[in-house]
Amino acid sequence: MKKVCLIVFSVVLFFGCEKQDRLVFENYTIENEDCGNCPKISIQYPLALGQDKLSKSINIALSEEVIEKLTYDDDLSPKNVEEAMQSFSNSFLEIRRDFPDTEAVWEATIEGSISNLDENYLTIQLKTYIFSGGAHGYQATQFLNFDLKRQIEIDAKEMLSNLDGFIGFAEKEFRIQENIPLDQNINSTGFMFPEEQFVLPENMGYTPNGFLMWYNQYEIASYADGPISILLTEEQISPYRKKNNTAN
């Protein structure tokens, strides 16, 4: 495997009025060696360089997600990204041995980037494309959210106040965007919400343009419909945006 570490960049965070902490990231990139009989694997995401609790929380969360996406052998438990990449390659080579006429080459591309950072929360967006045979590959977008004061990964819902009120507001905006009449079932136009009830997506996070709600393929619609997203502006999300006042 070949590993390339690119741009190092830093972000200054303020915890309280007097204390200043610096969160420094390195653009971590790793890919496998070129090989005619190897899957193509390319991984890139922001790696926090500090030894503080927050940096460790970020790195552990990201590496765990990458490992989970690349591990295809239930008997293996990779301890790091490199071992997960090897697991992915081994699974492909095993398929090739069992089915030598298979021509498709597996592929895995995972790209992470900082979506938003403010005095309360950090959001990292992780985009994944995995092809392991079949008619098409699997694409997904994921948001990892971190509470900067508590220095831990959190569920996106923890960044919101009045959750029931937000769900009602989000459903109304979703219906307007997707042209679903307010007096009809949420699935009346072809969506596939479970139990015919609107639910928030698993992946949500702040972006420079507002609060993004992202439904990956198959979550609420068919593969052909692709991912479905709804962006709430800063003005729309403001009444529901929880302010983190926990002392560091």
Side-chain angles (χ1 to χ4, degrees), residues 96-114:
R96 272 289 176 88
R97 286 194 297 269
D98 294 340
F99 304 95
D101 293 334
T102 300
E103 297 182 358
V105 177
W106 287 15
E107 181 180 351
T109 302
I110 302 176
E111 298 181 351
S113 61
I114 295 177

Side-chain angles (χ1 to χ4, degrees), residues 9-13 21-25 114 117-118 122:
F9 55 98
S10 64
V11 182
V12 179
L13 308 178
D21 290 336
R22 183 179 295 272
L23 183 58
V24 181
F25 288 96
I114 295 177
L117 176 66
D118 57 37
L122 164 69

Side-chain angles (χ1 to χ4, degrees), residues 13-76:
L13 308 178
F14 293 93
F15 298 120
C17 298
E18 298 180 357
K19 185 177 180 181
Q20 175 178 311
D21 290 336
R22 183 179 295 272
L23 183 58
V24 181
F25 288 96
E26 179 180 68
N27 192 23
Y28 173 79
T29 301
I30 183 169
E31 54 188 20
N32 62 333
E33 296 286 353
D34 294 333
C35 171
N37 197 37
C38 300
K40 302 173 183 178
I41 308 174
S42 177
I43 314 295
Q44 176 270 317
Y45 59 84
L47 181 72
L49 298 183
Q51 295 301 312
D52 55 286
K53 181 181 177 181
L54 176 60
S55 296
K56 291 179 180 178
S57 295
I58 294 168
N59 292 338
I60 289 173
L62 284 167
S63 63
E64 286 180 346
E65 291 297 335
V66 173
I67 290 170
E68 188 274 331
K69 288 172 171 54
L70 294 178
T71 303
Y72 277 62
D73 190 337
D74 294 335
D75 295 329
L76 295 178

Side-chain angles (χ1 to χ4, degrees), residues 178-235:
E178 300 298 327
N179 297 313
I180 306 172
L182 295 177
D183 60 349
Q184 293 187 20
N185 186 289
I186 191 68
N187 291 338
S188 62
T189 60
F191 284 103
M192 298 183 293
F193 281 96
E195 300 181 4
E196 299 187 335
Q197 296 291 322
F198 175 84
V199 294
L200 298 177
E202 294 182 6
N203 291 291
M204 302 184 294
Y206 288 106
T207 75
N209 298 316
F211 189 75
L212 185 61
M213 301 167 52
W214 187 280
Y215 297 91
N216 283 307
Q217 289 166 306
Y218 295 123
E219 279 191 53
I220 59 170
S222 68
Y223 177 85
D225 290 319
I228 297 168
S229 64
I230 177 170
L231 179 67
L232 301 178
T233 66
E234 288 292 341
E235 182 179 1

Side-chain angles (χ1 to χ4, degrees), residues 140-177:
T141 295
Q142 183 176 3
F143 291 94
L144 281 66
N145 297 290
F146 301 88
D147 184 312
L148 300 183
K149 301 295 176 64
R150 290 187 289 163
Q151 302 186 53
I152 58 173
E153 184 182 9
I154 60 172
D155 188 283
K157 295 176 183 177
E158 296 182 58
M159 300 188 296
L160 301 168
S161 63
N162 185 12
L163 186 58
D164 289 340
F166 175 76
I167 293 174
F169 173 75
E171 178 177 355
K172 180 180 178 181
E173 293 300 312
F174 183 89
R175 285 175 176 271
I176 292 173
Q177 174 179 292

